[in-house]
Amino acid sequence: MTQALRLGMAGGGEGAFIGAVHRMAAALDGDWRLVAGAFSTDAGRNARTGDRLGLDAQRVYASFDAMLVAEAARPEGERIDAVAIVTPNHLHAPMAIAALRAGFHVFCEKPMAISSAEARAIAEAAEASGRHFGLAFTYSGYPLVEEARARVARGDFGAIRLVQVEYLQGWLSRSIDTEGNKQAEWRTDPKRAGLGGCLGDIGTHAFHLAEHVSGLRAEALSADLTIHVPGRRLDDDVSALLRFDGGARGTLKASQVAAGEENGLKLRVHGELGGLEWSQMEPNTLTLRWLDRPAEIVRAGGPGLQEGTTRLLRTPAGHPEGYVEAFGNLYRGFAAAIRGEYGAWFPGVADGLRTMDFVEAMVANSAGDRKWTPVVTGVES
Amino acid sequence: MTQALRLGMAGGGEGAFIGAVHRMAAALDGDWRLVAGAFSTDAGRNARTGDRLGLDAQRVYASFDAMLVAEAARPEGERIDAVAIVTPNHLHAPMAIAALRAGFHVFCEKPMAISSAEARAIAEAAEASGRHFGLAFTYSGYPLVEEARARVARGDFGAIRLVQVEYLQGWLSRSIDTEGNKQAEWRTDPKRAGLGGCLGDIGTHAFHLAEHVSGLRAEALSADLTIHVPGRRLDDDVSALLRFDGGARGTLKASQVAAGEENGLKLRVHGELGGLEWSQMEPNTLTLRWLDRPAEIVRAGGPGLQEGTTRLLRTPAGHPEGYVEAFGNLYRGFAAAIRGEYGAWFPGVADGLRTMDFVEAMVANSAGDRKWTPVVTGVES
Amino acid sequence: MTQALRLGMAGGGEGAFIGAVHRMAAALDGDWRLVAGAFSTDAGRNARTGDRLGLDAQRVYASFDAMLVAEAARPEGERIDAVAIVTPNHLHAPMAIAALRAGFHVFCEKPMAISSAEARAIAEAAEASGRHFGLAFTYSGYPLVEEARARVARGDFGAIRLVQVEYLQGWLSRSIDTEGNKQAEWRTDPKRAGLGGCLGDIGTHAFHLAEHVSGLRAEALSADLTIHVPGRRLDDDVSALLRFDGGARGTLKASQVAAGEENGLKLRVHGELGGLEWSQMEPNTLTLRWLDRPAEIVRAGGPGLQEGTTRLLRTPAGHPEGYVEAFGNLYRGFAAAIRGEYGAWFPGVADGLRTMDFVEAMVANSAGDRKWTPVVTGVES
Amino acid sequence: MTQALRLGMAGGGEGAFIGAVHRMAAALDGDWRLVAGAFSTDAGRNARTGDRLGLDAQRVYASFDAMLVAEAARPEGERIDAVAIVTPNHLHAPMAIAALRAGFHVFCEKPMAISSAEARAIAEAAEASGRHFGLAFTYSGYPLVEEARARVARGDFGAIRLVQVEYLQGWLSRSIDTEGNKQAEWRTDPKRAGLGGCLGDIGTHAFHLAEHVSGLRAEALSADLTIHVPGRRLDDDVSALLRFDGGARGTLKASQVAAGEENGLKLRVHGELGGLEWSQMEPNTLTLRWLDRPAEIVRAGGPGLQEGTTRLLRTPAGHPEGYVEAFGNLYRGFAAAIRGEYGAWFPGVADGLRTMDFVEAMVANSAGDRKWTPVVTGVES
């Protein structure tokens, strides 16, 4: 009998956004059951969250460390299998490392850490522990992102020439970060967010998607990081030129001051024979354009999908699957890997390290006068 | 502490489509926990389904009746609160009535039953039992359907003049119903599906959506039911003209032989001052058009939403919510009603009776030479 | 040397809409040169229009009859070749018949006339004169309408099962017809517009497009003509069910009170193997959907077009061609026919008669209690 | 009486693309009449083109110079008013200067010339002659581009922060330039095309649109010009970062190897309060997004347009106007300026100089290691 895996959560108290998403994603397919948590350092908030989630009050812990200790002390088969870390960025590394060392698998919100050095420390801890480390590069969980990736890899478009990725939001158009919005506040605080503001929060998603789908590695970049809102301490707008191995050229645009935009992550890849376009806000459609024949609209659940795409779908064509389902695919892949299933995939250590190196190269380039900065990664995927 | 409610399921063995959707929808928000089931009359399939779902083998029952008896015998606080009925249509009424009489709430797949008489029997059983009867008119669970309904009700468009609804699928374009496709087979069998084929399966969704959003009642209709695929025993294509109270005119088109279409449910409503358009395959967008100012694109999570819409959303703007989330909203409303929460809404008895009367009027009209047939409902909503 | 043909115009004085469109359409490809006109019965308006168009004042005539007489008296090679009739509907027949009898070709705004009897009189005059009679069913001049027609005819979709056509406008949502809007005034006056209001003005376009592209003939129809705006004398809203030869089923919706809609003519045709969708407001795209493979987006100027489509295009892919260009294609076909070129096509007598019979069948059915009324045409195309 | 102005054309022999577009654009509104031409240096082709256009054979000249001389010798009121230059780029400057000096107005295809120095020579000749010099930055002739410009200028979006422009084509994805395609051949030949390939051909359009609509001036840029197709001599792909006066940040992407793309010119501008999006392939729609209210869809002919937009439209809402109509608006503005009408606008000398400086800055930057190169213009607009 396939038992649901047991999950403990760090962060995600009432009012937080991403914690609730992790919980829905984990619950969706019955692979996970949330049984423990250290949701908030505010005792009342912590207790209320646990109560609302129907947890046993004894497994709602006052601190992350307390959770690790108490859970590790439980008999095998009753303790948690993994922790989900959904705190601000600066806590990712210490928590992940502690959990890995305590023998738990870790599924962590992105970015991996607030510096490349921290990220490497996580990588080493994961390596040493033999535990899985998953990272919520959610957008790679969309079925049609997998379809896009597989088609590029199969050579449908010939050699790739162009990669264009953009991620436009508008929610930081005003200085809400200094006016009490918690989400905005920590994301624009270098101590809690790290080197990049918009860059770390959504630029990393864009970069990850571009490399993940194109199968290419950016060799060098030229960046322009900007702070548009007076008083803000981290970039709220990012532009970059990219040069990929093999000669492809790329552009990356990410902004949190594109007023009126929602969550506009869009990827386009063009090769010798045609190109593809995928947009997160209509995630069930993948447009393919061709030199010599009409464009095709590949649809979730429709004809023409690769087998790996179909496995990520839950409903027939025309029944929209969304963000929570994409997220659920990561949790499903993570569970499958823990269970040792063949072919299980989820974004992890290599994806995290790569994006941390990207952030550091972007920040370095933007501060200087040189046109190109290499993107170097110590650990290969 | 808010305990999750306990759910037992009838039908939905491995390989079935809609049972899995009910399970995801129920799990999504933590309001429900599946603890029992009679998934299949095939003992092996039943056991495998229960096992895969992690159920206690003792609560995987050989029959629906066995489930009712055994669960009713469990102590309060341990027995199931409700049953979800996800069998073919002809079993809805007997199962629902038995469950209601046994003291359980019922959440049932649509259509309510295979005849208006059966539906009325369910209504009476629900009335007598004091239990809730919910019906999976899933599309009314989409947040922007609620937004549309609320805006019409508020009078944004003035008096309504036009209602156009369509639901186009193509999956029955070939005679797969006689070639081993289980889903197709029972849906085209009058004994198991009822009076209508396409009409009952998706025409009822279209009709429900039209009345639900417009707030109008169809008084009369003129119908053309067609069987396009040779040998099929129930309609696979439906067209109708509708006349609503207050003078609005409507068209309803539903087809399962619109080759190449997926799940194209679309509603348009126009009044004196403007109109709205909503399409299930891009459910997070509601287009409003106006006589005197530019069209507006109202978006899930974006500015301008009614409070009732916002309550149905789980993520910020630009994070697509889909079919499972809409379905989850029905389960959430159903749970809230059971808990006695104020303002809880889910489609139920009145919605079911109304659509059964629609089906019977359609079938009667299509068979005759008279232009108009009234749509009469014995029980008022 | 290919001389431009000479055109005289009836109606289309300053301020009129469709006259200006005819002039642009005729000028676009250099096939026609406007040299004469009787633009208005208001002498000043007539003169000003001629002057603004740079016409020789002597060829700006006080009346249509004066134009016919004077032009017929000019030497061959100097007189007009054809007249364009762009007056209200009730003048189409008398003017067209007079012009044909005077030896001129006629290009006429639709509808052909205000009754089937009048239309037949035109048909006879055209037959007797040996002159061409063209009718401005403009939408059949769009390149991708031709592409759609040719693909249906070639059997790409197998036998046709469904035809859905709609034409939604909102400009008559208010009673502007009684408040000084000239366009609205005559279109809602039975004496000048004929039997149908919305039906004659745009319902005929919809019906023509449906039969033209599907290659089918509607055998019977069931109609609901409505007047939504109080005090209006002709229908402003039309719904119909259609039954085509060969068993296809259709719906037709036309409205001029769909508040907020612009000029929403849309056609969908589905057969056994797939379907097509074309929308006038994005006329350079034709969507093809298939049972077994991804949908295709066929684009004006792009790969995959039939030769007959390409001939109707003036620019490469991605350079939008619009309404005036579609209109120009009719004038081009009309000129080509006059010059005796092989394969020239334009909508003419048969198209006009057919739509008049449609109007009469719709009006008759809507007034009665019978469900179906046959659409009979005396003259075959 | 308003006489049509007389036009002579240089280039545009049979088979050429843009010459035919100029002729349709000039004919559309009756403002211009083509009466003379030197269409080709191939005598037969020249004659055939003149014949097909119905020109007097005496005004079909063997050379551009012959046209200037002969037309200048005709009496006033019979000679041409202006020349349209539609030759490859390297002939623009010598022809334009000669025509201006001969007293004719000039309407020239873009780019203005093959170097900034040449462009300045044209500017001086125009200044000295007192004649008008118009430049075919066609896309600025679209009504909704004017709407966008006017709304930015009025401050609807607050201070502008982001400008994103892209122009994607795929027609040079293969080496058709070395395989007999005339259009491709000269456009990739530095002698005839100038410093930039894709950059000069469509990058200039993108840059012009960005500055024209945003009302901003790019102060510095960072560029990556690439040749993707082996053997090609000029860039076929362009990426750039832009810094505008006032602090706005921009990205510019132009490519002719984006396989499968048609003519994808798209502009997005975001300010403090909202943003706009316009796409050439659906030119009658302008999308406005806002921080605090739903997005709006502004449509050609629909409600909410500025008066200057309405003047550029010929048909009511829902009747698509396209590329030829946009082009016609330039010819209309050019004619109006010649006639001395108040408020006449067309792109001219300042637009041309600016884009030449852009080309030179792009080429210089791309060749070097410095990150930023200023865009300097000697002549202010």
Side-chain angles (χ1 to χ4, degrees):
Chain A
M1 173 173 150
T2 311
Q3 278 283 3
L5 295 166
R6 279 168 293 286
L7 188 66
M9 180 166 278
E14 53 180 15
F17 156 52
I18 205 68
V21 172
H22 278 254
R23 290 191 291 262
M24 288 186 277
L28 193 63
D29 299 300
D31 287 324
W32 292 92
R33 190 160 160 219
L34 181 70
V35 297
F39 302 105
S40 176
T41 52
D42 175 317
R45 192 167 167 245
N46 190 35
R48 281 192 305 276
T49 305
D51 181 59
R52 198 167 40 77
L53 295 169
L55 295 197
D56 178 344
Q58 293 199 302
R59 296 177 88 174
V60 180
Y61 298 99
S63 73
F64 184 72
D65 289 339
M67 178 163 71
L68 294 186
V69 170
E71 289 292 326
R74 295 179 73 93
E76 201 183 323
E78 294 188 20
R79 73 173 75 113
I80 56 175
D81 297 287
V83 294
I85 301 176
V86 297
T87 62
N89 305 347
H90 67 299
L91 299 174
H92 292 184
M95 285 181 168
I97 291 167
L100 290 163
R101 288 185 181 158
F104 299 110
H105 304 285
V106 172
F107 194 83
C108 185
E109 247 309 298
K110 44 82 359 221
M112 192 172 183
I114 62 170
S115 74
S116 210
E118 271 194 1
R120 265 169 246 284
I122 296 175
E124 282 159 23
E127 177 74 21
S129 69
R131 301 295 161 179
H132 290 288
F133 177 83
L135 200 51
F137 280 117
T138 314
Y139 304 110
S140 52
Y142 274 111
L144 291 189
V145 167
E146 169 55 18
E147 180 71 24
R149 191 203 60 72
R151 283 175 175 261
V152 172
R154 194 173 66 177
D156 286 16
F157 310 103
I160 299 305
R161 289 171 171 168
L162 311 183
V163 178
Q164 295 173 81
V165 68
E166 61 182 55
Y167 198 153
L168 299 184
Q169 297 181 335
W171 69 294
L172 290 179
S173 291
R174 294 195 177 119
S175 52
I176 58 172
D177 34 337
T178 57
E179 293 163 4
N181 182 306
K182 291 271 178 197
Q183 296 286 334
E185 191 187 321
W186 74 254
R187 277 184 169 82
T188 57
D189 174 2
K191 288 212 190 77
R192 286 176 283 175
L195 282 174
C198 170
L199 174 61
D201 196 28
I202 62 173
T204 50
H205 274 302
F207 183 77
H208 182 260
L209 189 70
E211 287 202 345
H212 177 67
V213 171
S214 73
L216 301 175
R217 306 272 283 185
E219 292 181 335
L221 55 77
S222 186
D224 194 10
L225 305 185
T226 311
I227 295 174
H228 284 283
V229 173
R232 188 161 286 163
R233 290 170 294 166
L234 284 172
D235 64 278
D236 50 25
D237 183 61
V238 173
S239 309
L241 307 179
L242 303 172
R243 288 185 161 181
F244 291 91
D245 53 350
R249 293 300 194 261
T251 52
L252 182 149
K253 176 77 204 176
S255 188
Q256 295 181 315
V257 296
E261 302 293 337
E262 298 179 357
N263 200 37
L265 173 61
K266 185 163 111 173
L267 176 70
R268 287 174 290 178
V269 177
H270 289 87
E272 298 162 310
L273 307 174
L276 66 82
E277 178 171 339
W278 179 81
S279 177
Q280 195 267 152
M281 300 206 329
E282 292 184 17
N284 298 297
T285 295
L286 175 67
T287 303
L288 308 180
R289 297 198 179 85
W290 305 106
L291 268 188
D292 298 326
R293 57 186 205 272
E296 290 173 294
I297 304 298
V298 174
R299 292 272 305 162
L305 297 179
Q306 312 302 301
E307 197 190 316
T309 307
T310 300
R311 271 201 301 267
L312 298 176
L313 285 160
R314 294 164 183 83
T315 47
H319 297 76
E321 301 195 21
Y323 177 73
V324 169
E325 285 80 4
F327 219 120
N329 286 337
L330 301 195
Y331 267 97
R332 206 157 71 167
F334 188 58
I338 291 171
R339 289 171 178 150
E341 293 175 16
Y342 176 76
W345 183 85
F346 59 91
V349 165
D351 305 83
L353 290 175
R354 182 71 187 150
T355 48
M356 293 311 301
D357 290 323
F358 160 73
V359 166
E360 298 196 345
M362 289 285 284
V363 170
N365 180 277
S366 186
D369 293 329
R370 272 186 318 159
K371 190 143 158 199
W372 298 106
T373 298
V375 188
V376 183
T377 299
V379 175
E380 288 305 305
S381 64
Chain B
M1 173 174 152
T2 310
Q3 278 284 1
L5 294 166
R6 284 170 220 76
L7 187 66
M9 180 167 279
E14 52 181 17
F17 156 51
I18 205 68
V21 172
H22 278 255
R23 290 191 291 263
M24 289 187 276
L28 194 63
D29 299 299
D31 287 325
W32 292 93
R33 193 161 158 217
L34 180 70
V35 297
F39 302 106
S40 175
T41 51
D42 174 316
R45 192 166 168 246
N46 191 33
R48 282 193 303 276
T49 305
D51 181 59
R52 197 167 41 75
L53 295 169
L55 295 197
D56 179 343
Q58 293 200 301
R59 295 176 89 174
V60 180
Y61 298 99
S63 73
F64 183 73
D65 289 339
M67 178 164 72
L68 294 187
V69 170
E71 289 292 326
R74 295 178 73 92
E76 201 184 322
E78 294 188 21
R79 72 174 76 114
I80 56 175
D81 296 287
V83 293
I85 301 176
V86 298
T87 62
N89 304 348
H90 67 299
L91 299 174
H92 292 183
M95 285 181 168
I97 292 167
L100 289 163
R101 287 184 181 158
F104 300 110
H105 303 287
V106 172
F107 194 83
C108 186
E109 246 308 297
K110 46 81 0 220
M112 192 172 184
I114 62 170
S115 73
S116 209
E118 271 194 1
R120 264 168 246 285
I122 296 176
E124 283 159 24
E127 176 76 21
S129 70
R131 301 296 161 181
H132 290 289
F133 176 83
L135 200 50
F137 280 116
T138 314
Y139 304 110
S140 53
Y142 274 111
L144 291 189
V145 167
E146 170 55 19
E147 180 71 22
R149 191 203 60 75
R151 283 176 177 260
V152 172
R154 193 173 68 178
D156 286 16
F157 310 103
I160 299 306
R161 289 172 172 167
L162 311 183
V163 178
Q164 294 174 81
V165 69
E166 61 182 55
Y167 197 153
L168 299 184
Q169 298 181 335
W171 69 293
L172 290 178
S173 290
R174 293 193 179 121
S175 52
I176 58 172
D177 33 338
T178 58
E179 293 162 4
N181 182 306
K182 290 271 178 196
Q183 297 285 334
E185 191 187 320
W186 74 254
R187 277 183 169 84
T188 57
D189 174 1
K191 289 214 189 75
R192 285 176 285 175
L195 282 174
C198 170
L199 175 61
D201 197 28
I202 61 173
T204 49
H205 273 304
F207 182 77
H208 182 260
L209 189 70
E211 286 201 346
H212 178 67
V213 171
S214 72
L216 302 174
R217 307 272 283 187
E219 292 182 336
L221 54 76
S222 186
D224 195 10
L225 305 186
T226 310
I227 296 174
H228 285 283
V229 172
R232 187 160 286 161
R233 290 171 293 167
L234 284 172
D235 63 278
D236 50 24
D237 183 60
V238 173
S239 309
L241 307 179
L242 303 172
R243 288 185 161 181
F244 290 91
D245 54 350
R249 293 301 193 259
T251 53
L252 181 149
K253 176 77 203 175
S255 187
Q256 295 181 316
V257 296
E261 303 293 336
E262 299 179 356
N263 200 37
L265 173 61
K266 185 163 112 174
L267 176 70
R268 288 174 288 179
V269 177
H270 289 87
E272 298 162 311
L273 307 173
L276 67 82
E277 178 171 338
W278 179 81
S279 177
Q280 193 267 151
M281 301 206 329
E282 292 184 17
N284 298 295
T285 295
L286 174 68
T287 303
L288 308 179
R289 296 198 178 85
W290 305 106
L291 269 189
D292 298 326
R293 57 186 205 272
E296 291 174 292
I297 305 297
V298 174
R299 292 272 304 161
L305 297 179
Q306 311 302 303
E307 197 189 317
T309 307
T310 301
R311 272 200 301 266
L312 298 176
L313 285 160
R314 294 165 182 82
T315 47
H319 297 77
E321 302 194 21
Y323 177 74
V324 169
E325 286 80 2
F327 220 120
N329 286 337
L330 301 195
Y331 267 97
R332 206 157 70 168
F334 188 58
I338 292 171
R339 288 171 179 148
E341 293 176 16
Y342 176 75
W345 183 84
F346 59 92
V349 165
D351 305 83
L353 290 175
R354 182 71 187 152
T355 48
M356 293 311 302
D357 290 323
F358 161 73
V359 167
E360 298 196 346
M362 289 285 283
V363 170
N365 181 277
S366 187
D369 292 329
R370 270 186 319 159
K371 190 143 159 200
W372 297 106
T373 297
V375 188
V376 183
T377 298
V379 175
E380 288 304 306
S381 64
Chain C
M1 174 175 152
T2 309
Q3 278 284 0
L5 294 167
R6 284 171 221 76
L7 188 66
M9 179 166 277
E14 52 180 16
F17 155 52
I18 205 67
V21 172
H22 278 254
R23 289 191 292 263
M24 288 187 277
L28 193 64
D29 298 299
D31 287 325
W32 292 93
R33 192 163 158 216
L34 180 70
V35 297
F39 301 104
S40 175
T41 51
D42 174 315
R45 192 168 167 245
N46 191 34
R48 282 192 305 276
T49 305
D51 181 58
R52 198 167 40 77
L53 295 170
L55 296 197
D56 180 343
Q58 292 199 303
R59 295 176 88 173
V60 181
Y61 299 99
S63 74
F64 183 71
D65 289 340
M67 178 163 71
L68 293 187
V69 170
E71 289 292 326
R74 296 179 72 93
E76 203 183 321
E78 294 188 19
R79 73 173 75 114
I80 57 175
D81 296 288
V83 294
I85 301 177
V86 296
T87 62
N89 304 348
H90 67 299
L91 299 175
H92 291 182
M95 284 182 168
I97 292 168
L100 290 163
R101 288 184 180 158
F104 300 110
H105 303 287
V106 171
F107 195 83
C108 186
E109 249 308 297
K110 47 81 356 221
M112 192 172 183
I114 61 171
S115 74
S116 211
E118 270 194 1
R120 265 169 245 286
I122 296 175
E124 284 159 24
E127 175 75 21
S129 71
R131 301 297 161 177
H132 290 289
F133 176 83
L135 200 51
F137 280 117
T138 314
Y139 304 110
S140 53
Y142 274 110
L144 290 189
V145 167
E146 170 55 19
E147 181 70 22
R149 191 203 60 74
R151 283 175 176 261
V152 172
R154 194 172 67 178
D156 285 17
F157 310 103
I160 299 306
R161 288 171 172 168
L162 311 182
V163 178
Q164 294 175 81
V165 68
E166 61 181 57
Y167 197 153
L168 298 184
Q169 299 181 333
W171 69 294
L172 289 179
S173 290
R174 293 194 179 122
S175 53
I176 57 171
D177 34 337
T178 57
E179 293 162 3
N181 182 307
K182 290 272 178 195
Q183 297 285 335
E185 191 188 320
W186 75 254
R187 276 181 170 85
T188 57
D189 175 1
K191 289 215 189 74
R192 286 176 285 174
L195 282 173
C198 170
L199 175 61
D201 197 28
I202 63 174
T204 49
H205 273 304
F207 183 76
H208 182 259
L209 189 70
E211 287 203 344
H212 178 67
V213 170
S214 73
L216 301 174
R217 307 271 284 185
E219 292 181 335
L221 53 77
S222 187
D224 195 10
L225 305 186
T226 311
I227 296 173
H228 285 282
V229 173
R232 188 161 285 163
R233 290 169 293 165
L234 285 172
D235 64 277
D236 49 25
D237 183 59
V238 174
S239 308
L241 307 179
L242 303 172
R243 289 185 160 182
F244 291 91
D245 53 350
R249 292 302 193 259
T251 52
L252 182 149
K253 177 76 202 177
S255 188
Q256 295 182 315
V257 296
E261 302 293 337
E262 299 179 353
N263 200 38
L265 173 61
K266 184 162 111 174
L267 177 70
R268 288 175 288 179
V269 177
H270 289 86
E272 298 162 311
L273 307 173
L276 66 82
E277 178 171 340
W278 180 82
S279 177
Q280 194 268 152
M281 299 204 334
E282 292 184 16
N284 298 296
T285 294
L286 175 67
T287 303
L288 309 179
R289 296 198 179 85
W290 305 106
L291 268 189
D292 298 325
R293 57 186 205 273
E296 292 173 292
I297 304 298
V298 175
R299 291 271 306 162
L305 298 179
Q306 312 301 303
E307 197 190 316
T309 307
T310 301
R311 272 201 301 267
L312 298 176
L313 285 161
R314 294 165 183 82
T315 47
H319 297 76
E321 301 195 20
Y323 177 72
V324 169
E325 285 81 2
F327 219 121
N329 286 338
L330 301 194
Y331 267 99
R332 207 158 70 168
F334 188 57
I338 291 172
R339 287 171 179 149
E341 293 174 16
Y342 175 76
W345 182 83
F346 58 92
V349 165
D351 305 81
L353 290 175
R354 182 72 186 150
T355 48
M356 293 311 303
D357 290 323
F358 161 73
V359 166
E360 298 196 346
M362 290 284 285
V363 170
N365 180 277
S366 186
D369 292 328
R370 273 185 317 159
K371 190 141 158 202
W372 298 106
T373 298
V375 188
V376 183
T377 299
V379 176
E380 287 304 305
S381 65
Chain D
M1 172 174 153
T2 310
Q3 278 284 359
L5 294 167
R6 278 169 293 282
L7 188 66
M9 180 167 277
E14 51 181 17
F17 156 51
I18 205 68
V21 172
H22 278 254
R23 289 191 291 263
M24 288 187 278
L28 194 63
D29 298 299
D31 287 325
W32 292 92
R33 193 162 158 216
L34 180 70
V35 298
F39 302 105
S40 176
T41 52
D42 174 315
R45 193 168 167 245
N46 191 34
R48 282 193 303 277
T49 305
D51 181 58
R52 199 169 39 78
L53 295 170
L55 296 197
D56 180 343
Q58 292 198 302
R59 296 177 88 173
V60 181
Y61 299 99
S63 74
F64 183 71
D65 289 339
M67 178 163 72
L68 294 186
V69 170
E71 289 292 327
R74 295 178 73 93
E76 203 183 320
E78 294 188 20
R79 73 174 74 114
I80 56 175
D81 296 288
V83 294
I85 301 176
V86 297
T87 62
N89 304 349
H90 67 299
L91 298 174
H92 292 183
M95 284 182 169
I97 292 168
L100 291 163
R101 287 184 181 159
F104 299 110
H105 303 286
V106 172
F107 195 83
C108 187
E109 248 307 299
K110 46 84 356 223
M112 193 174 184
I114 61 171
S115 73
S116 210
E118 270 194 3
R120 265 168 245 286
I122 296 175
E124 284 159 23
E127 175 75 22
S129 70
R131 301 295 161 179
H132 290 288
F133 177 82
L135 201 50
F137 280 117
T138 313
Y139 305 110
S140 52
Y142 274 110
L144 290 189
V145 167
E146 169 55 19
E147 181 70 23
R149 191 203 61 74
R151 282 175 177 262
V152 172
R154 194 172 66 178
D156 285 16
F157 309 104
I160 299 306
R161 288 170 172 169
L162 311 183
V163 178
Q164 294 174 81
V165 68
E166 62 182 55
Y167 197 153
L168 298 184
Q169 298 181 334
W171 70 294
L172 290 179
S173 291
R174 293 193 179 122
S175 53
I176 57 171
D177 35 337
T178 58
E179 294 162 3
N181 182 307
K182 291 270 178 194
Q183 297 286 334
E185 192 187 319
W186 75 255
R187 277 183 169 83
T188 57
D189 174 2
K191 289 212 190 77
R192 286 177 284 175
L195 282 174
C198 170
L199 175 61
D201 197 27
I202 62 174
T204 49
H205 273 303
F207 183 76
H208 182 261
L209 189 70
E211 288 202 345
H212 178 67
V213 170
S214 72
L216 302 174
R217 309 269 285 184
E219 291 181 338
L221 54 78
S222 186
D224 194 9
L225 305 185
T226 311
I227 295 174
H228 285 283
V229 172
R232 189 161 284 164
R233 291 169 293 166
L234 285 171
D235 63 277
D236 50 24
D237 183 60
V238 173
S239 308
L241 307 178
L242 304 172
R243 289 186 160 180
F244 291 92
D245 54 350
R249 292 302 194 258
T251 53
L252 182 149
K253 177 75 203 177
S255 188
Q256 294 181 315
V257 297
E261 302 292 337
E262 299 179 355
N263 200 38
L265 173 61
K266 186 163 112 174
L267 177 69
R268 287 175 289 178
V269 177
H270 289 86
E272 299 161 310
L273 307 174
L276 66 83
E277 178 170 340
W278 179 82
S279 177
Q280 195 267 153
M281 300 205 331
E282 291 184 17
N284 298 296
T285 295
L286 175 67
T287 303
L288 309 179
R289 296 198 180 85
W290 304 106
L291 268 189
D292 298 325
R293 57 185 204 274
E296 292 174 293
I297 304 298
V298 174
R299 292 270 306 162
L305 297 179
Q306 312 301 302
E307 197 189 317
T309 307
T310 300
R311 272 201 300 268
L312 298 176
L313 285 161
R314 295 165 182 82
T315 47
H319 297 75
E321 302 195 21
Y323 177 73
V324 169
E325 286 80 3
F327 219 121
N329 286 337
L330 301 194
Y331 267 98
R332 206 157 71 167
F334 188 58
I338 292 172
R339 288 170 179 151
E341 294 176 14
Y342 176 76
W345 182 83
F346 59 92
V349 165
D351 306 81
L353 290 175
R354 183 72 186 151
T355 48
M356 293 311 303
D357 291 323
F358 161 72
V359 166
E360 297 196 346
M362 290 284 285
V363 170
N365 180 278
S366 186
D369 293 329
R370 271 185 319 159
K371 189 141 157 203
W372 297 107
T373 298
V375 188
V376 183
T377 298
V379 175
E380 289 304 306
S381 64

